[in-house]
């Protein structure tokens, strides 16, 4: 019998601005099995139907929340895999040979990614159960190879899309970042990449200031000026693209950002092969960000304390901010 999933914490806001249940999208990278094997296993576990897309992506239908996507996480190869090569022309034969070489090389370092539809909060335990099932079938994560830099990404829908709510969560995340990264215990393979680069100190100082409560346009403009990249542990570009696609595309038009009314939390590793690991670890830490954002007095005090820490060179050497967060600014049950 499978062990019961660990408890998942409830955030302070469980509904969106329309009064509907908030949803969370999950993206999980893994290896150890072929794409079609993973697609069939996920479909079996969730009672879904596999539909073929290109040669490197599958769609699973039948979930009331929407379609699941199982794909090789390599945009160029996915594009090649959607080309029709049924005609036996010389050009198609050359393209097919090039694609096969690329696919062979990709297998060694590129993960298969499971992308869920937006799931209601009460279905997050389904993801924990799915991870446990895949682990039993031999799924591998970041810890299983020095060249695996696999992650798990959470896309929590916002309680509302006001500039104040967005800014409060951004402030809370910046204050808790040191604690989050210590808790996440990021693998060397991902620390050596730029996938989750920290925010610049100048930007952190600006956002945490007492009087920094800008309107939406200014909030987006300031973010883009200092962070014209997807490589942040909390990537705000999908949300800001949803709110103002034109403004974002003027600063960064890479064709990779998908607009959605969610945060894009990219920090956690995919530790799918580790016993008892699951979405609950990253989710429960994320809830601490939401709890701090929802408590204006505590958020102000935390911002002041972190700014004092950042602006005092001696404090940065002698004091461990992550430990202070552990002691003062998060739920003791999260420690």
């Amino acid at each position: 019998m499978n062990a019961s999933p660990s408890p998942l914490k409830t955030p302070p806001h469980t509904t969106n601005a329309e009064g509907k249940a908030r949803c969370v999208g999950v993206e999980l990278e893994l290896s150890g099995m072929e794409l079609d094997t993973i697609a069939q296993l996920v479909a079996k576990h969730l009672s879904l139907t596999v539909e073929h897309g290109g040669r490197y992506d599958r769609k699973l239908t039948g979930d009331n929340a929407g379609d699941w996507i199982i794909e090789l996480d390599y945009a160029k190869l996915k594009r090649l895999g959607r080309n029709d090569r049924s005609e036996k022309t010389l050009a198609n034969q050359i393209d097919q040979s090039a694609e096969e070489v690329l696919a062979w090389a990709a297998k060694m370092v590129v993960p298969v990614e499971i992308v869920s539809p937006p799931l209601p909060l009460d279905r997050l335990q389904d993801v924990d159960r799915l991870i446990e099932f895949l682990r039993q079938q031999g799924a591998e994560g970041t810890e299983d190879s020095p060249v695996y830099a696999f992650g798990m990404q959470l896309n929590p829908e916002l309680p509302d899309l006001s500039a104040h709510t967005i800014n409060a969560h951004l402030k809370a995340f910046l204050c808790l970042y040191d604690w989050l990264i210590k808790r996440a215990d990021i693998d060397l393979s991902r620390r050596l990449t730029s996938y989750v680069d920290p925010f610049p100190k100048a930007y952190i100082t600006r956002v945490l200031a007492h009087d920094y409560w800008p309107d939406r346009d200014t909030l987006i403009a300031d973010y883009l000026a200092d962070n014209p990249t997807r490589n942040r542990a909390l990537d705000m570009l999908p949300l800001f693209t949803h709110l103002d696609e034109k403004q974002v595309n003027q600063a960064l038009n890479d064709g990779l950002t998908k607009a959605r009314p969610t945060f894009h939390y990219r920090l956690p590793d995919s530790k799918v092969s580790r016993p008892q690991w699951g979405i609950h670890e990253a989710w429960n830490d994320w809830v601490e960000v939401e709890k701090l954002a929802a408590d204006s007095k505590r958020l102000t005090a935390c911002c002041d304390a972190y700014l004092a820490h950042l602006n005092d060179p001696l404090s940065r050497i002698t004091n461990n901010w992550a430990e202070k967060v552990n002691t003062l600014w998060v739920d003791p049950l999260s420690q």
Side-chain angles (χ1 to χ4, degrees), residues 45-85:
H45 184 76
L46 298 173
S47 300
L48 304 177
T49 300
V50 179
E51 293 185 2
H52 281 243
R55 287 180 284 280
Y56 308 103
D57 58 285
R58 304 290 180 263
K59 180 169 68 173
L60 309 188
T61 62
D63 192 321
N64 291 334
D67 296 335
W68 292 68
I69 303 297
I70 316 294
E71 60 186 7
L72 199 66
D73 191 23
Y74 189 1
K76 182 175 182 179
L77 196 55
K78 283 187 291 184
R79 287 195 299 270
L80 291 172
R82 297 188 184 109
N83 293 337
D84 181 6
R85 299 214 177 90

Side-chain angles (χ1 to χ4, degrees), residues 145-162:
S145 170
V147 299
Y148 289 172
F150 300 169
M152 179 178 67
Q153 302 170 21
L154 305 181
N155 301 294
E157 181 182 14
L158 275 72
D160 66 75
L161 298 178
S162 68

Side-chain angles (χ1 to χ4, degrees), residues 178 308-324:
D178 288 0
H309 171 78
L310 287 177
N311 293 326
D312 183 347
L314 183 60
S315 176
R316 295 203 306 273
I317 296 172
T318 60
N319 294 317
N320 187 317
W321 177 251
E323 289 300 325
K324 283 193 172 182

Side-chain angles (χ1 to χ4, degrees), residues 53-200:
R55 287 180 284 280
Y56 308 103
D57 58 285
R58 304 290 180 263
K59 180 169 68 173
L60 309 188
T61 62
D63 192 321
N64 291 334
D67 296 335
W68 292 68
I69 303 297
I70 316 294
E71 60 186 7
L72 199 66
D73 191 23
Y74 189 1
K76 182 175 182 179
L77 196 55
K78 283 187 291 184
R79 287 195 299 270
L80 291 172
R82 297 188 184 109
N83 293 337
D84 181 6
R85 299 214 177 90
S86 56
E87 293 186 23
K88 301 300 181 181
T89 64
L90 177 60
N92 276 348
Q93 291 175 353
I94 293 173
D95 287 347
Q96 181 175 342
S97 296
E99 180 185 322
E100 288 172 352
V101 171
L102 195 61
W104 173 81
K107 276 187 177 182
M108 294 183 282
V109 294
V110 176
V112 173
E113 185 172 36
I114 300 172
V115 183
S116 82
L119 299 170
L121 293 175
D122 62 7
R123 285 196 57 192
L124 287 181
Q125 282 203 346
D126 292 351
V127 179
D128 258 349
R129 294 187 182 97
L130 175 62
I131 290 171
E132 174 62 25
F133 174 70
L134 293 172
R135 176 162 46 243
Q136 294 171 356
Q137 309 307 313
E140 297 179 351
T142 293
E143 298 173 323
D144 293 289
S145 170
V147 299
Y148 289 172
F150 300 169
M152 179 178 67
Q153 302 170 21
L154 305 181
N155 301 294
E157 181 182 14
L158 275 72
D160 66 75
L161 298 178
S162 68
H164 186 280
T165 293
I166 297 168
N167 199 7
H169 284 78
L170 189 52
K171 286 174 182 276
F173 179 83
L174 294 174
C175 284
L176 299 189
Y177 175 78
D178 288 0
W179 177 78
L180 289 166
I181 202 164
K182 182 178 180 180
R183 295 270 298 173
D185 188 24
I186 304 301
D187 191 85
L188 178 64
S189 61
R190 293 187 78 225
R191 284 188 278 122
L192 292 177
T193 69
S194 59
Y195 294 147
V196 289
D197 286 345
F199 286 91

Side-chain angles (χ1 to χ4, degrees), residues 165-308:
T165 293
I166 297 168
N167 199 7
H169 284 78
L170 189 52
K171 286 174 182 276
F173 179 83
L174 294 174
C175 284
L176 299 189
Y177 175 78
D178 288 0
W179 177 78
L180 289 166
I181 202 164
K182 182 178 180 180
R183 295 270 298 173
D185 188 24
I186 304 301
D187 191 85
L188 178 64
S189 61
R190 293 187 78 225
R191 284 188 278 122
L192 292 177
T193 69
S194 59
Y195 294 147
V196 289
D197 286 345
F199 286 91
K201 182 185 175 184
Y203 179 73
I204 296 172
T205 302
R206 177 190 298 177
V207 172
L208 298 188
H210 264 269
D211 59 353
Y212 190 79
W213 293 99
D215 61 25
R216 190 182 73 183
D217 289 346
T218 304
L219 181 65
I220 296 175
D222 287 348
Y223 182 91
L224 294 173
D226 285 329
N227 307 282
T229 175
R230 301 166 67 236
N231 295 332
R232 293 287 182 265
L234 182 61
D235 174 17
M236 302 293 287
L237 293 177
L239 172 61
F240 289 156
T241 301
H242 174 80
L243 294 173
D244 193 335
E245 184 174 4
K246 181 179 179 181
Q247 187 177 5
V248 174
N249 284 343
Q250 286 175 343
L252 180 74
N253 190 3
D254 60 4
L256 298 175
T257 300
K258 299 177 182 178
R260 51 195 172 206
T262 71
F263 295 112
H264 187 41
Y265 181 43
R266 307 175 71 246
L267 180 63
D269 284 346
S270 171
K271 301 177 181 178
V272 65
S273 64
R274 179 187 289 188
Q276 307 304 317
W277 179 85
I279 190 177
H280 58 275
E281 292 190 10
W283 173 254
N284 289 348
D285 287 351
W286 171 260
V287 168
E288 292 301 319
V289 174
E290 296 207 6
K291 288 165 66 175
L292 182 58
D295 187 336
S296 59
K297 289 185 178 180
R298 196 161 65 97
L299 178 60
T300 298
C302 190
C303 288
D304 288 348
Y306 190 38
L307 279 174

